[in-house]
Amino acid sequence: MHNDAAKAELIDAGRWVADKGWVPATGGNFSMRTQSGFVVTASGHDKGKLDTHHFLELDDNGNIVAGEGKPSAETALHLKLYALRPSTQCILHTHSVAATVLSRFFQGDAFSVTGYEMQKSLSGVTTHLEPLNIAIFDNDQDIPRLAELVAKHHETTPIVHGVLIRGHGLYAMGDNIFETRRHIEGLEFLFACELERLKLEGIK
């Protein structure tokens, strides 16, 4: 995909994600793989009001070749996720309430659910009977170190749909932007269901 087309797709995704309330303030960051490298959102912009000048163009090695502003420090995690799974074409990082709260509630290394039909919204998942696990990593301001932890996890448990960062949010990924958006929406539905379940059960 050409850079301009990628920016247009991410602008549209930004409006959609913002309308859902999943990127408050200037939170979140988006990226897409392109024919010449990557397009990423510059830091500090409202993702619901993105314009073409709110993006940076990177080469295949992650070096900035065009655009103004600075990339989020989390760009390093985007690049690591692309390297781990070459078929990934788009990564959208969001900060929803449900993802943020649940990633703190689940103290293990994964958000795990079973029994929800919506699990099948995720590519490769064919039944609600199999547990769905989304890896959770502790938040870390040292993004290269966090990226290496993600890579280490991927060696034994491949990351396919995305990862949760504890108290931070979701990184969703897909083989195209439409799949990434579907993964976000499916996962956010599951997060919301689990959060509601915990409320009903009175778990604090």
Side-chain angles (χ1 to χ4, degrees):
M1 179 177 288
H2 291 292
N3 289 335
D4 289 346
K7 292 174 188 178
E9 294 281 10
L10 291 175
I11 288 170
D12 183 65
R15 287 193 292 263
W16 171 73
V17 172
D19 285 345
K20 298 285 189 181
W22 296 337
V23 281
T26 59
N29 37 74
F30 307 155
S31 66
M32 283 189 72
R33 195 190 296 270
T34 68
Q35 292 177 343
S36 58
F38 304 91
V39 165
V40 302
T41 47
S43 182
H45 298 293
D46 184 334
K47 302 308 178 294
K49 299 178 181 178
L50 292 173
D51 203 343
T52 53
H53 62 279
H54 294 149
F55 293 89
L56 299 169
E57 298 175 14
L58 312 181
D59 63 19
D60 286 329
N61 297 315
N63 301 306
I64 300 172
V65 296
E68 299 180 359
K70 63 178 183 178
S72 165
E74 295 161 19
T75 299
L77 182 52
H78 284 245
L79 295 175
K80 178 62 71 174
L81 289 169
Y82 282 116
L84 294 176
R85 190 169 179 274
S87 65
T88 295
Q89 298 295 313
C90 177
I91 297 172
L92 302 176
H93 169 45
T94 54
H95 290 200
S96 76
V97 171
T100 303
V101 171
L102 285 175
S103 65
R104 295 190 65 188
F105 180 84
F106 284 86
Q107 293 305 304
D109 60 2
F111 167 80
S112 182
V113 292
T114 188
Y116 290 104
E117 183 70 12
M118 190 56 69
Q119 291 170 219
K120 296 194 297 183
S121 66
L122 304 181
S123 294
V125 179
T126 59
T127 175
H128 66 287
L129 298 175
E130 292 292 330
L132 172 71
N133 297 300
I134 302 298
I136 303 176
F137 299 90
D138 288 337
N139 198 18
D140 194 337
Q141 299 306 302
D142 186 334
I143 302 301
R145 179 169 60 194
L146 175 59
E148 287 309 313
L149 288 175
V150 172
K152 184 75 172 177
H153 177 90
H154 183 77
E155 290 177 4
T156 55
T157 309
I159 294 166
V160 178
H161 308 109
V163 298
L164 279 166
I165 307 301
R166 204 178 308 280
H168 187 161
L170 169 69
Y171 285 79
M173 50 206 283
D175 291 352
N176 53 61
I177 193 168
F178 307 106
E179 183 174 83
T180 304
R181 288 173 61 155
R182 190 179 77 245
H183 287 168
I184 287 180
E185 194 158 24
L187 286 169
E188 288 294 348
F189 177 86
L190 294 170
F191 297 155
C193 285
E194 280 297 280
L195 194 58
E196 186 65 21
R197 182 182 67 82
L198 293 174
K199 291 177 183 177
L200 292 173
E201 290 182 356
I203 299 176
K204 298 180 180 180

